[in-house]
Amino acid sequence: MSGAVLGIESTAHTAAVGIVSPDGEIMADRKAIFAPEAGSGIHPREAANHHVVALPGLVREALADAQLAPSELALVAYARGPGLGPCLRTGATAARALAHAHGLPLLGVNHCVAHLEIGLLEGATDPVLLYLSGGNTQVIGYAHGRYRVFGETLDIGIGNMLDKFGREAGLGFPGGPKLEALAEGPELEPLPYSVKGMDMAFSGLLTAALRKLADGMPLPRLAFAIQETAFAMACEVAERALAHTGKTELVLGGGVACNARLREMASTMADARDVTCFAPAKALCVDNGVMIAWLGHVMHSGGYETGPADDKVDQRFRTDMAEVTWR
Ligand code: AMP
Ligand code: MG
Protein backbone atom coordinates (compact mmCIF):
# COMPACT_ATOMS: atom_id res chain seq x y z
CA MET A 1 0.00 0.00 0.00
CA SER A 2 1.47 3.34 -1.03
CA GLY A 3 -1.31 5.43 0.50
CA ALA A 4 -1.49 7.42 -2.74
CA VAL A 5 -4.86 8.84 -3.83
CA LEU A 6 -6.14 8.98 -7.39
CA GLY A 7 -8.51 11.86 -8.25
CA ILE A 8 -10.85 12.15 -11.22
CA GLU A 9 -12.08 15.52 -12.46
CA SER A 10 -14.86 15.80 -15.05
CA THR A 11 -17.14 18.69 -14.01
CA ALA A 12 -17.03 20.57 -17.33
CA HIS A 13 -14.73 20.63 -20.37
CA THR A 14 -11.74 18.93 -18.72
CA ALA A 15 -11.32 15.21 -18.07
CA ALA A 16 -8.37 14.78 -15.73
CA VAL A 17 -6.69 12.24 -13.52
CA GLY A 18 -4.19 13.14 -10.81
CA ILE A 19 -2.34 11.08 -8.23
CA VAL A 20 -0.83 12.46 -5.02
CA SER A 21 1.20 10.78 -2.32
CA PRO A 22 0.18 11.23 1.34
CA ASP A 23 2.91 13.85 1.83
CA GLY A 24 1.63 15.91 -1.09
CA GLU A 25 3.99 14.83 -3.84
CA ILE A 26 2.30 15.12 -7.24
CA MET A 27 2.87 11.73 -8.85
CA ALA A 28 0.69 12.22 -11.93
CA ASP A 29 -1.28 15.03 -13.57
CA ARG A 30 -3.00 14.01 -16.81
CA LYS A 31 -5.64 16.03 -18.64
CA ALA A 32 -7.67 16.01 -21.84
CA ILE A 33 -9.72 19.08 -22.71
CA PHE A 34 -12.88 19.01 -24.79
CA ALA A 35 -12.83 21.73 -27.45
CA PRO A 36 -16.22 22.68 -28.87
CA GLU A 37 -16.54 23.35 -32.59
CA ALA A 38 -15.75 26.88 -33.72
CA GLY A 39 -18.58 29.27 -32.90
CA SER A 40 -20.36 27.10 -30.36
CA GLY A 41 -20.23 26.70 -26.58
CA ILE A 42 -19.83 23.55 -24.52
CA HIS A 43 -22.63 21.05 -25.06
CA PRO A 44 -22.79 18.90 -21.88
CA ARG A 45 -23.52 15.66 -23.75
CA GLU A 46 -20.70 16.19 -26.25
CA ALA A 47 -18.25 17.03 -23.47
CA ALA A 48 -19.37 13.90 -21.59
CA ASN A 49 -18.81 11.78 -24.71
CA HIS A 50 -15.31 13.20 -24.91
CA HIS A 51 -14.70 12.22 -21.27
CA VAL A 52 -16.02 8.68 -21.87
CA VAL A 53 -13.36 8.20 -24.52
CA ALA A 54 -10.58 10.03 -22.65
CA LEU A 55 -10.84 8.77 -19.07
CA PRO A 56 -9.72 5.12 -19.38
CA GLY A 57 -6.49 6.18 -21.11
CA LEU A 58 -5.90 9.01 -18.61
CA VAL A 59 -6.26 6.58 -15.69
CA ARG A 60 -3.78 4.16 -17.31
CA GLU A 61 -1.29 6.95 -18.07
CA ALA A 62 -1.54 8.44 -14.59
CA LEU A 63 -0.93 5.06 -12.95
CA ALA A 64 2.05 4.52 -15.26
CA ASP A 65 3.45 7.99 -14.40
CA ALA A 66 3.11 7.19 -10.69
CA GLN A 67 4.45 3.67 -11.23
CA LEU A 68 1.58 2.25 -9.24
CA ALA A 69 -0.80 -0.66 -9.69
CA PRO A 70 -4.43 0.23 -8.95
CA SER A 71 -4.41 -2.07 -5.93
CA GLU A 72 -1.66 0.07 -4.37
CA LEU A 73 -3.97 3.10 -4.15
CA ALA A 74 -5.52 4.05 -0.80
CA LEU A 75 -8.57 5.80 -2.24
CA VAL A 76 -10.33 6.90 -5.42
CA ALA A 77 -11.71 10.45 -5.23
CA TYR A 78 -13.81 12.22 -7.84
CA ALA A 79 -15.55 15.59 -8.18
CA ARG A 80 -19.23 14.96 -7.44
CA GLY A 81 -20.23 18.57 -8.21
CA PRO A 82 -20.96 21.29 -9.02
CA GLY A 83 -20.87 20.86 -12.76
CA LEU A 84 -22.61 19.61 -15.88
CA GLY A 85 -24.76 16.54 -15.21
CA PRO A 86 -23.61 14.24 -18.03
CA CYS A 87 -19.95 15.15 -17.42
CA LEU A 88 -20.23 14.51 -13.68
CA ARG A 89 -21.90 11.14 -14.23
CA THR A 90 -19.12 10.09 -16.59
CA GLY A 91 -16.40 10.86 -14.06
CA ALA A 92 -18.37 9.21 -11.27
CA THR A 93 -18.84 6.07 -13.34
CA ALA A 94 -15.13 5.86 -14.07
CA ALA A 95 -14.28 6.40 -10.39
CA ARG A 96 -16.84 3.84 -9.24
CA ALA A 97 -15.61 1.23 -11.72
CA LEU A 98 -11.99 1.69 -10.66
CA ALA A 99 -12.82 1.65 -6.94
CA HIS A 100 -15.13 -1.34 -7.06
CA ALA A 101 -12.89 -3.39 -9.35
CA HIS A 102 -9.99 -3.06 -6.91
CA GLY A 103 -11.85 -2.94 -3.61
CA LEU A 104 -10.88 0.68 -2.90
CA PRO A 105 -12.92 3.26 -0.96
CA LEU A 106 -14.69 5.88 -3.09
CA LEU A 107 -15.07 9.51 -2.07
CA GLY A 108 -16.96 12.30 -3.85
CA VAL A 109 -15.54 15.78 -3.23
CA ASN A 110 -16.63 19.36 -3.91
CA HIS A 111 -14.89 20.81 -6.97
CA CYS A 112 -14.74 24.40 -5.62
CA VAL A 113 -13.34 23.31 -2.25
CA ALA A 114 -10.67 21.37 -4.15
CA HIS A 115 -9.54 24.61 -5.82
CA LEU A 116 -9.15 26.11 -2.34
CA GLU A 117 -7.44 23.15 -0.70
CA ILE A 118 -4.78 22.96 -3.41
CA GLY A 119 -3.65 26.33 -1.99
CA LEU A 120 -2.82 24.50 1.25
CA LEU A 121 -0.55 22.21 -0.72
CA GLU A 122 1.18 25.43 -1.86
CA GLY A 123 1.77 26.48 1.75
CA ALA A 124 -1.34 28.46 2.70
CA THR A 125 -3.04 27.52 5.98
CA ASP A 126 -6.38 29.33 6.12
CA PRO A 127 -6.80 31.40 2.97
CA VAL A 128 -9.47 33.32 1.15
CA LEU A 129 -9.83 31.76 -2.31
CA LEU A 130 -10.50 33.96 -5.32
CA TYR A 131 -11.93 31.35 -7.64
CA LEU A 132 -12.32 32.60 -11.19
CA SER A 133 -13.17 30.01 -13.81
CA GLY A 134 -15.44 29.48 -16.78
CA GLY A 135 -18.62 28.58 -14.92
CA ASN A 136 -17.70 29.60 -11.37
CA THR A 137 -16.84 32.96 -9.86
CA GLN A 138 -16.68 32.88 -6.07
CA VAL A 139 -14.79 34.24 -3.11
CA ILE A 140 -14.56 31.43 -0.56
CA GLY A 141 -13.13 30.97 2.91
CA TYR A 142 -13.43 28.59 5.84
CA ALA A 143 -15.43 29.76 8.86
CA HIS A 144 -17.25 27.89 11.63
CA GLY A 145 -17.33 24.39 10.21
CA ARG A 146 -17.99 25.21 6.58
CA TYR A 147 -16.45 26.74 3.52
CA ARG A 148 -18.43 29.95 3.16
CA VAL A 149 -19.15 31.81 -0.05
CA PHE A 150 -18.43 35.44 0.80
CA GLY A 151 -19.25 36.72 -2.64
CA GLU A 152 -20.07 35.36 -6.07
CA THR A 153 -21.36 36.21 -9.50
CA LEU A 154 -25.05 36.94 -9.76
CA ASP A 155 -25.19 35.95 -13.41
CA ILE A 156 -22.46 34.40 -15.57
CA GLY A 157 -18.96 33.22 -14.61
CA ILE A 158 -16.13 35.62 -15.38
CA GLY A 159 -14.47 33.13 -17.75
CA ASN A 160 -17.79 32.55 -19.46
CA MET A 161 -18.00 36.31 -20.06
CA LEU A 162 -14.48 36.35 -21.57
CA ASP A 163 -15.27 33.31 -23.73
CA LYS A 164 -18.60 34.73 -24.97
CA PHE A 165 -16.96 38.01 -25.91
CA GLY A 166 -14.11 36.11 -27.58
CA ARG A 167 -16.56 34.02 -29.58
CA GLU A 168 -18.45 37.09 -30.83
CA ALA A 169 -15.13 38.74 -31.71
CA GLY A 170 -14.19 35.67 -33.77
CA LEU A 171 -11.32 34.65 -31.49
CA GLY A 172 -12.39 31.03 -30.95
CA PHE A 173 -12.50 29.10 -27.68
CA PRO A 174 -11.28 29.79 -25.05
CA GLY A 175 -11.42 33.57 -25.30
CA GLY A 176 -9.64 34.39 -22.02
CA PRO A 177 -6.04 33.73 -23.09
CA LYS A 178 -6.63 35.34 -26.51
CA LEU A 179 -7.94 38.54 -24.91
CA GLU A 180 -4.96 38.53 -22.55
CA ALA A 181 -2.58 38.41 -25.51
CA LEU A 182 -4.44 41.20 -27.32
CA ALA A 183 -5.02 43.59 -24.40
CA GLU A 184 -3.28 46.91 -24.83
CA GLY A 185 -3.49 49.94 -22.54
CA PRO A 186 -3.12 52.36 -21.02
CA GLU A 187 -6.25 54.15 -22.21
CA LEU A 188 -9.14 52.79 -20.14
CA GLU A 189 -12.49 52.70 -21.90
CA PRO A 190 -15.30 52.82 -19.29
CA LEU A 191 -17.41 49.65 -18.97
CA PRO A 192 -20.12 48.77 -16.40
CA TYR A 193 -18.51 47.98 -13.04
CA SER A 194 -21.01 45.86 -11.12
CA VAL A 195 -20.22 45.02 -7.53
CA LYS A 196 -23.36 44.70 -5.44
CA GLY A 197 -22.53 44.18 -1.80
CA MET A 198 -20.16 41.22 -1.98
CA ASP A 199 -21.50 39.94 -5.29
CA MET A 200 -20.56 40.66 -8.88
CA ALA A 201 -22.34 40.68 -12.22
CA PHE A 202 -20.72 40.39 -15.64
CA SER A 203 -23.51 40.30 -18.21
CA GLY A 204 -23.90 44.11 -18.32
CA LEU A 205 -20.18 44.46 -18.97
CA LEU A 206 -20.42 41.83 -21.72
CA THR A 207 -23.35 43.59 -23.43
CA ALA A 208 -21.63 46.98 -23.30
CA ALA A 209 -18.35 45.54 -24.62
CA LEU A 210 -20.16 43.79 -27.49
CA ARG A 211 -21.90 47.05 -28.39
CA LYS A 212 -18.56 48.89 -28.51
CA LEU A 213 -17.12 46.08 -30.63
CA ALA A 214 -20.01 46.44 -33.09
CA ASP A 215 -19.39 50.21 -33.13
CA GLY A 216 -15.85 49.54 -34.33
CA MET A 217 -13.73 49.97 -31.20
CA PRO A 218 -10.33 48.28 -31.68
CA LEU A 219 -10.11 44.85 -30.07
CA PRO A 220 -6.87 45.48 -28.08
CA ARG A 221 -8.40 48.50 -26.38
CA LEU A 222 -11.60 46.61 -25.56
CA ALA A 223 -9.71 43.56 -24.32
CA PHE A 224 -7.73 45.83 -21.99
CA ALA A 225 -10.90 47.49 -20.65
CA ILE A 226 -12.65 44.16 -20.11
CA GLN A 227 -9.71 42.77 -18.13
CA GLU A 228 -9.14 45.87 -16.02
CA THR A 229 -12.82 46.22 -15.15
CA ALA A 230 -13.70 42.58 -14.49
CA PHE A 231 -10.49 41.83 -12.56
CA ALA A 232 -10.87 44.97 -10.44
CA MET A 233 -14.38 43.82 -9.47
CA ALA A 234 -13.09 40.40 -8.43
CA CYS A 235 -10.15 41.86 -6.49
CA GLU A 236 -12.43 44.33 -4.71
CA VAL A 237 -14.66 41.53 -3.40
CA ALA A 238 -11.65 39.41 -2.42
CA GLU A 239 -10.15 42.36 -0.57
CA ARG A 240 -13.33 42.96 1.37
CA ALA A 241 -13.52 39.26 2.29
CA LEU A 242 -9.95 39.49 3.60
CA ALA A 243 -10.82 42.62 5.57
CA HIS A 244 -13.97 41.11 7.11
CA THR A 245 -12.46 37.75 8.02
CA GLY A 246 -9.04 39.03 9.06
CA LYS A 247 -7.43 36.22 7.07
CA THR A 248 -3.90 36.88 5.88
CA GLU A 249 -3.63 34.59 2.88
CA LEU A 250 -5.11 34.82 -0.60
CA VAL A 251 -5.15 31.86 -2.98
CA LEU A 252 -5.94 32.23 -6.68
CA GLY A 253 -7.75 29.45 -8.50
CA GLY A 254 -9.66 28.68 -11.70
CA GLY A 255 -8.60 29.05 -15.31
CA VAL A 256 -8.84 32.86 -15.29
CA ALA A 257 -6.23 32.86 -12.50
CA CYS A 258 -3.72 31.90 -15.22
CA ASN A 259 -3.95 35.51 -16.40
CA ALA A 260 -0.80 37.53 -15.69
CA ARG A 261 -2.67 40.81 -15.24
CA LEU A 262 -5.11 39.22 -12.76
CA ARG A 263 -2.15 37.79 -10.83
CA GLU A 264 -0.49 41.20 -10.80
CA MET A 265 -3.62 43.00 -9.57
CA ALA A 266 -4.28 40.38 -6.87
CA SER A 267 -0.71 40.48 -5.59
CA THR A 268 -0.68 44.30 -5.58
CA MET A 269 -3.84 44.27 -3.46
CA ALA A 270 -2.44 41.55 -1.19
CA ASP A 271 0.87 43.40 -0.70
CA ALA A 272 -0.96 46.57 0.29
CA ARG A 273 -2.79 44.62 3.01
CA ASP A 274 0.18 42.54 4.21
CA VAL A 275 -1.52 39.45 2.86
CA THR A 276 0.44 36.58 1.29
CA CYS A 277 -0.76 35.82 -2.22
CA PHE A 278 -0.48 32.23 -3.46
CA ALA A 279 -0.79 31.81 -7.20
CA PRO A 280 -0.48 28.07 -7.93
CA ALA A 281 1.13 26.88 -11.16
CA LYS A 282 -1.24 27.18 -14.11
CA ALA A 283 -1.61 23.40 -14.30
CA LEU A 284 -3.09 23.53 -10.78
CA CYS A 285 -5.25 26.64 -11.37
CA VAL A 286 -7.19 25.10 -14.24
CA ASP A 287 -9.43 22.10 -13.62
CA ASN A 288 -7.19 19.17 -12.73
CA GLY A 289 -7.23 15.76 -11.09
CA VAL A 290 -4.46 16.58 -8.61
CA MET A 291 -6.66 18.90 -6.56
CA ILE A 292 -9.41 16.26 -6.44
CA ALA A 293 -6.92 13.63 -5.27
CA TRP A 294 -5.44 16.04 -2.71
CA LEU A 295 -8.82 16.99 -1.22
CA GLY A 296 -9.74 13.28 -1.15
CA HIS A 297 -6.53 12.61 0.77
CA VAL A 298 -7.10 15.51 3.18
CA MET A 299 -10.68 14.40 3.92
CA HIS A 300 -9.84 10.70 4.17
CA SER A 301 -6.84 11.18 6.44
CA GLY A 302 -8.81 13.76 8.45
CA GLY A 303 -11.28 11.08 9.47
CA TYR A 304 -14.07 11.80 7.00
CA GLU A 305 -16.32 8.72 6.79
CA THR A 306 -17.50 7.96 3.27
CA GLY A 307 -21.26 7.48 3.02
CA PRO A 308 -23.99 6.90 0.42
CA ALA A 309 -23.81 10.55 -0.73
CA ASP A 310 -20.24 9.98 -1.87
CA ASP A 311 -21.55 7.62 -4.52
CA LYS A 312 -23.87 10.20 -6.07
CA VAL A 313 -23.20 13.27 -8.19
CA ASP A 314 -24.84 16.62 -7.42
CA GLN A 315 -24.93 19.24 -10.17
CA ARG A 316 -25.72 21.93 -7.60
CA PHE A 317 -23.30 20.85 -4.89
CA ARG A 318 -22.67 24.27 -3.40
CA THR A 319 -19.43 25.12 -1.65
CA ASP A 320 -21.22 25.82 1.63
CA MET A 321 -23.30 22.61 1.63
CA ALA A 322 -20.49 20.36 2.80
CA GLU A 323 -19.99 20.20 6.55
CA VAL A 324 -16.26 20.26 7.12
CA THR A 325 -15.32 17.57 9.62
CA TRP A 326 -11.76 17.05 8.47
CA ARG A 327 -10.17 20.37 9.46
P1 AMP B 1 -11.66 26.45 -15.80
O1 AMP B 1 -13.16 26.50 -15.99
O2 AMP B 1 -11.24 26.76 -14.40
O3 AMP B 1 -10.98 25.24 -16.35
O4 AMP B 1 -11.08 27.66 -16.67
C1 AMP B 1 -11.47 27.91 -17.99
C2 AMP B 1 -11.64 29.39 -18.19
O5 AMP B 1 -10.40 30.05 -17.93
C3 AMP B 1 -12.07 29.77 -19.58
O6 AMP B 1 -13.16 30.64 -19.45
C4 AMP B 1 -10.84 30.50 -20.14
O7 AMP B 1 -11.17 31.52 -21.06
C5 AMP B 1 -10.21 31.05 -18.91
N1 AMP B 1 -8.78 31.33 -19.05
C6 AMP B 1 -7.79 30.43 -19.26
N2 AMP B 1 -6.60 31.07 -19.37
C7 AMP B 1 -6.86 32.39 -19.23
C8 AMP B 1 -6.05 33.58 -19.27
N3 AMP B 1 -4.74 33.53 -19.46
N4 AMP B 1 -6.68 34.77 -19.07
C9 AMP B 1 -8.01 34.82 -18.86
N5 AMP B 1 -8.80 33.76 -18.83
C10 AMP B 1 -8.25 32.56 -19.02
MG1 MG C 1 -12.83 24.72 -11.80
Side-chain angles (χ1 to χ4, degrees), residues 53-270:
V53 175
L55 278 170
L58 292 171
V59 169
R60 267 195 302 276
E61 288 161 8
L63 286 166
D65 291 346
Q67 297 185 303
L68 288 175
S71 57
E72 290 177 284
L73 295 168
L75 174 76
V76 177
Y78 72 100
R80 55 177 286 251
L84 307 171
C87 298
L88 290 172
R89 285 191 288 277
T90 302
T93 302
R96 214 175 277 135
L98 184 65
H100 292 186
H102 299 282
L104 302 167
L106 177 70
L107 202 167
V109 309
N110 183 293
H111 173 92
C112 307
V113 173
H115 274 290
L116 184 142
E117 287 281 344
I118 202 73
L120 276 62
L121 191 58
E122 300 275 314
T125 55
D126 182 21
V128 164
L129 169 72
L130 178 55
Y131 175 32
L132 304 177
S133 76
N136 296 297
T137 301
Q138 293 186 330
V139 175
I140 301 169
Y142 175 81
H144 307 294
R146 275 171 204 265
Y147 287 101
R148 312 280 169 176
V149 179
F150 293 116
E152 64 189 316
T153 180
L154 296 170
D155 47 33
I156 55 177
I158 187 168
N160 207 315
M161 178 274 290
L162 298 171
D163 294 340
K164 281 187 173 166
F165 180 84
R167 191 159 76 227
E168 294 300 318
L171 298 176
F173 180 86
K178 308 225 164 89
L179 292 172
E180 174 176 25
L182 281 169
E184 203 179 300
E187 223 178 322
L188 183 59
E189 182 64 23
L191 286 171
Y193 183 102
S194 263
V195 172
K196 306 172 189 207
M198 288 292 280
D199 294 325
M200 304 153 256
F202 296 99
S203 56
L205 189 163
L206 174 62
T207 306
L210 287 174
R211 199 168 295 142
K212 287 179 195 275
L213 181 70
D215 288 346
M217 179 163 295
L219 207 43
R221 188 166 162 195
L222 260 179
F224 178 75
I226 291 169
Q227 288 201 156
E228 295 300 304
T229 310
F231 296 168
M233 286 161 54
C235 288
E236 179 191 328
V237 174
E239 178 167 25
R240 206 164 322 116
L242 287 162
H244 281 315
T245 58
K247 293 187 195 289
T248 57
E249 297 165 335
L250 177 68
V251 167
L252 306 180
V256 181
C258 294
N259 186 289
R261 178 60 182 142
L262 183 272
R263 287 173 178 241
E264 184 185 14
M265 284 168 80
S267 78
T268 303
M269 176 271 279

Side-chain angles (χ1 to χ4, degrees), residues 30 112 290:
R30 291 278 178 170
C112 307
V290 172

